Amino acid sequence: MKQDPANILDMCLDDILAGGTVEECLARFPEHRSELEPLLVVARRLEALPKARPRQTSLRNALVRMGAAVPTRRKSRSHSGRAGWHRLGFLWSHPALLRFAAVSLVLVVTVWAVSVASTRSEPGDFLYPLKLVTERIAFALTTKPERRAELRLS
């Protein structure tokens, strides 16, 4: 059974880490000697290099800088009289999101108010084109044939 060279290299490296020698490994796999020998020699040399250890002061300074870069979260206060409003606390901590919500609310209320005001407009009035648009939208969104017939008649 022929083994994969990558698996053979892994086995040899495990053996060397466990205390074996390069020669013992090469003797076990003589057919792969030319491929394995340079890799195992380099691996043995790399293992013999001293391990890099950061100085304690450098490590402490890096941790302090990381801690300063992480934003702190404010604890949300629960309001006993306002059930449910504490869930919207994230809005107050994001001004852009709060502005977007306010502008959206104003826009929706304005469109609704103008469309309600346009329902009583007649041809020639300023809001009459909006009335036609809202009627067309209502007709397009209606799926029941009876309701469509009622919309056509009105």
Side-chain angles (χ1 to χ4, degrees), residues 77-89:
R77 294 181 232 154
S78 66
H79 301 290
S80 58
R82 300 180 196 169
W85 283 104
H86 67 277
R87 292 186 202 129
L88 297 176

Side-chain angles (χ1 to χ4, degrees), residues 7 21 23 40 42 47 57 68 78 86 107 127 149:
N7 290 340
T21 65
E23 286 304 319
L40 293 175
V42 168
E47 188 63 33
T57 56
S78 66
H86 67 277
L107 185 65
L127 294 176

Side-chain angles (χ1 to χ4, degrees), residues 30-80:
E31 65 276 3
H32 296 288
R33 183 180 188 92
S34 62
E35 299 167 359
L36 286 176
E37 188 172 18
L39 297 173
L40 293 175
V41 168
V42 168
R44 191 68 171 172
R45 288 183 185 165
L46 288 175
E47 188 63 33
L49 289 174
K51 304 292 185 248
R53 298 188 191 276
R55 288 180 275 160
Q56 289 298 320
T57 56
S58 300
L59 186 59
R60 195 174 317 118
N61 290 340
L63 289 173
V64 167
R65 283 194 309 267
M66 284 175 46
V70 175
T72 57
R73 292 182 67 184
R74 285 189 273 161
K75 293 181 182 179
S76 68
R77 294 181 232 154
S78 66
H79 301 290
S80 58

Side-chain angles (χ1 to χ4, degrees), residues 11 15 19 26 36 38 44 48 52 54 57 68 76 82 88 99 102-104 118 121 124 126 129 131 139:
M11 287 190 294
D15 289 346
L26 292 175
L36 286 176
R44 191 68 171 172
T57 56
S76 68
R82 300 180 196 169
L88 297 176
R99 273 189 238 117
V103 168
S104 299
S118 71
S121 63
F126 178 72
K131 178 182 179 180
F139 186 76

